[in-house]
Amino acid sequence: TLARVQSSTRARFVAAPVGRFLRGRTWALGCPVAGLYVTIFGGRPDEADMRELAGAYRVRAGGTPHVVLFDGSRVEAVDAAAHDLLIRYFTERAARFTPNLTRAAFVHGDGPAGALFAGYRKVLPLPDCETRSFADTDAALQWLGAAVTVRAEVVALAASLGSVDPALVRFQALLEERPSVSLAKAAHLLAIAPRSLQ
């Protein structure tokens, strides 16, 4: 489990992002510590995934300097329309995302998906930001100044993409909001049979 970075609902994440993350089917968005924001992709993101992620980008870093990790090293296949949507989203909102952004690390894998993520640092409008490409998540986090414990948590979160049942992620978020919820009520809220949830 992640020691400090906990699954959250969108509303809770937007209101208080530090120490929380949101998770979609093929992505995770988080703020493990103040000043560090991470977006991690895995599997085969499609347009629906990118729309969901774009809807989650409501958190503001405020007036404080911050750094960003954009990790696509676990993406297995590229959906051109999905990534076009993401690039358009960031390009149209550059003024919102770039103030006080000091560094951005882009992590890529191999093959076509790796080439796509390696190219993000060239096509996204980051004029006053130092950028660098990496083939390793931990090395990117180290360059961003993350502590060893934070790096381990983010690497674990990245490794979990594709290996955790999305229902479990929703259940974790529900428990954060309602720690004393009964099994029966949780199963009802998640539309899962109580025995399956158990």
Side-chain angles (χ1 to χ4, degrees):
T1 62
L2 300 175
R4 292 175 302 183
V5 184
Q6 298 300 317
S7 178
S8 186
T9 62
R10 184 181 303 178
R12 289 187 77 154
F13 178 76
V14 170
V18 177
R20 299 182 192 276
F21 74 90
L22 288 174
R23 185 183 169 123
R25 185 181 69 87
T26 62
W27 56 267
L29 169 65
C31 181
V33 293
L36 171 63
Y37 293 87
V38 301
T39 301
I40 306 165
F41 297 93
R44 299 169 179 261
D46 61 21
E47 281 188 83
D49 294 318
M50 295 303 183
R51 279 192 195 90
E52 184 183 23
L53 175 61
Y57 275 120
R58 303 244 162 113
V59 66
R60 290 188 182 265
T64 60
H66 60 279
V67 296
V68 168
L69 172 76
F70 199 75
D71 187 343
S73 62
R74 289 157 186 86
V75 171
E76 298 166 5
V78 173
D79 178 321
H83 291 282
D84 182 53
L85 185 153
L86 190 63
I87 289 171
R88 237 183 12 258
Y89 180 85
F90 280 114
T91 302
E92 291 168 0
R93 292 160 181 83
R96 174 179 163 202
F97 291 118
T98 57
N100 301 305
L101 177 60
T102 59
R103 279 187 169 185
F106 293 84
V107 186
H108 60 85
D110 299 321
L116 177 82
F117 277 90
Y120 272 16
R121 72 183 275 243
K122 300 290 186 188
V123 297
L124 292 177
L126 302 167
D128 299 321
C129 173
E130 185 179 3
T131 65
R132 196 171 192 185
S133 290
F134 294 86
D136 177 73
T137 304
D138 187 65
L141 288 163
Q142 189 170 1
W143 179 73
L144 292 172
V148 173
T149 54
V150 172
R151 294 190 337 242
E153 289 174 349
V154 174
V155 168
L157 176 61
S160 76
L161 279 174
S163 66
V164 175
D165 185 338
L168 178 59
V169 175
R170 292 189 348 255
F171 181 53
Q172 289 172 327
L174 177 64
L175 285 176
E176 185 177 320
E177 283 191 356
R178 300 178 182 189
S180 61
V181 69
S182 70
L183 176 67
K185 182 67 174 172
H188 173 73
L189 291 169
L190 297 171
I192 299 171
R195 188 155 177 88
S196 296
L197 183 57
Q198 199 169 25

